[in-house]
Amino acid sequence: QVQLVESGGGLVQPGGSLRLSCAASGSILSFNAMGWFRQAPGKQRELVARITSVSSPNYRDSVKGRFTISRDNAKNTVYLQMNSLKPADTAVYYCNGDRSDIRYWGQGTQVTVSS
């Protein structure tokens, strides 16, 4: 059973930073791609950043230059470094991993950007 466990969310002031972590129960090399999604209240879940082993990371336009996705294969962990946070970044952030035709999800971690 694949498990993805997120951590690192919390309350931060506008302009602040957070680093989210997603620890996988097995090797992240087994995933075709891994990414971070977010869902704000009343809105659809949206892709924030995605990373594969063969291509450059891609980001949604609103986070480009502020967020960075990275991976540590030895630790089976994917990270999302979030800088210059804005209130519009407030959401539950979910880690995902795609393996063949199956998409796996973590339980989510709340990020709240507020003064």
Side-chain angles (χ1 to χ4, degrees):
Q1 181 73 14
V2 174
Q3 284 190 316
L4 301 174
V5 180
E6 302 99 333
S7 61
L11 173 64
V12 63
Q13 291 187 340
S17 298
L18 284 174
R19 188 177 79 156
L20 305 183
S21 299
C22 171
S25 56
S27 173
I28 61 174
L29 293 173
S30 68
F31 292 100
N32 306 113
M34 296 196 74
W36 289 94
F37 286 70
R38 68 186 181 188
Q39 187 167 19
K43 294 188 177 181
Q44 290 189 332
R45 191 172 295 190
E46 61 186 22
L47 176 66
V48 176
R50 188 171 182 267
I51 190 169
T52 74
S53 59
V54 296
S55 62
S56 299
N58 61 284
Y59 303 90
R60 71 179 304 104
D61 286 346
S62 61
V63 308
K64 285 181 181 177
R66 301 189 297 122
F67 290 12
T68 303
I69 188 171
S70 62
R71 58 195 292 166
D72 186 330
N73 294 334
K75 295 183 178 179
N76 294 318
T77 301
V78 176
Y79 303 97
L80 184 68
Q81 178 66 43
M82 305 186 295
N83 299 327
S84 302
L85 282 160
K86 305 175 181 180
D89 296 317
T90 295
V92 178
Y93 283 70
Y94 297 91
C95 175
N96 106 284
D98 294 336
R99 177 185 294 166
S100 299
D101 294 329
I102 301 174
R103 172 159 284 183
Y104 298 91
W105 295 99
Q107 82 287 353
T109 185
Q110 177 70 45
V111 172
T112 302
V113 185
S114 175
S115 56

